[in-house]
Amino acid sequence: MKEEMMVRKYVSLFLLYALIAMTISGIVLYVMPHGRVAYWTGWRFLGLDKDQWDSLHTIFGFLMIFFGIWHVILNWKNIVNYLKGRAGIITSKEFFITTIVALTITIGIIANVSPFKTVMDIGERIKNSWPKPETMPPAPHAELFSLKKVAQIIGLSPQKAIGVLESKGIKVESPDEILKDIAAKNNTTPARIYEILSGISKKY
């Protein structure tokens, strides 16, 4: 009995931590800019980038599922009692109310009707409020373009592009290196690299 109580404490605490992590990361993912903008501008919140917030949300989501199932197993008798009515079968008022509410929410989300649509629309407006004309990438996920491809788009030779970047203190190993990796190694953003190169190209 003592060991079971100890297990219950651990499971409950892990569920609490997972809930906190899922709540915070869920809110961040709800309001963060779309991937093409987040990656391009090097967007961060509390020092973490988009991929790190995605990872936090996903891993703690799996942990919440794991400990949630464990919690159900530990409390199975109580849950069955919640479902049972006076006749001893699944006829409780609480069971029917919670089931109907859960199904209604599920159908509403799938059908994309208010108020669920409104919630998603608000999130979309917040996401779209981040990018400005000067921070928009020249193409979707341009941070994955090689320096050679970016130079071609701008109208510079790869060698010229490397020379320009190195003159600004940005080290480049190869013209085949992608902007995201160059930016990460030089503590800058793909947008900044593109800004430097496009600024030079306008002088020619």
Side-chain angles (χ1 to χ4, degrees), residues 16-86:
L16 173 62
Y17 300 147
L19 175 62
I20 293 171
M22 288 289 288
T23 300
I24 295 173
S25 60
I27 293 172
V28 172
L29 293 177
Y30 179 71
V31 302
M32 72 162 48
H34 290 292
R36 64 182 183 276
V37 175
Y39 292 126
W40 186 247
T41 60
W43 182 91
R44 286 176 175 270
F45 181 69
L46 297 180
L48 305 180
D49 62 22
K50 182 184 184 303
D51 285 340
Q52 290 170 316
W53 281 111
D54 282 334
S55 297
L56 274 173
H57 194 71
T58 299
I59 299 303
F60 272 102
F62 282 123
L63 287 175
M64 196 166 189
I65 292 170
F66 175 77
F67 287 107
I69 292 173
W70 201 346
H71 181 76
V72 169
I73 293 171
L74 290 174
N75 295 277
W76 182 247
K77 289 183 180 179
N78 290 331
I79 292 172
V80 171
N81 288 332
Y82 297 155
L83 299 177
K84 288 180 180 179
R86 292 182 180 179

Side-chain angles (χ1 to χ4, degrees), residues 104-123:
T104 300
I105 292 173
T106 302
I107 294 170
I109 293 171
I110 294 172
N112 197 31
V113 297
S114 293
F116 314 107
K117 182 180 183 302
T118 304
V119 172
M120 299 310 297
D121 287 345
I122 291 172

Side-chain angles (χ1 to χ4, degrees), residues 140-185:
H141 295 292
E143 76 280 356
L144 299 178
F145 289 178
S146 67
L147 179 60
K148 183 190 296 183
K149 184 172 182 177
V150 173
Q152 183 181 13
I153 293 172
I154 293 175
L156 296 174
S157 68
Q159 292 73 24
K160 179 65 178 178
I162 291 175
V164 168
L165 292 177
E166 290 185 342
S167 71
K168 298 291 185 179
I170 298 175
K171 296 180 180 180
V172 181
E173 294 180 3
S174 163
D176 294 319
E177 203 172 3
I178 65 173
L179 255 62
K180 184 179 179 181
D181 291 344
I182 297 172
K185 289 191 302 184

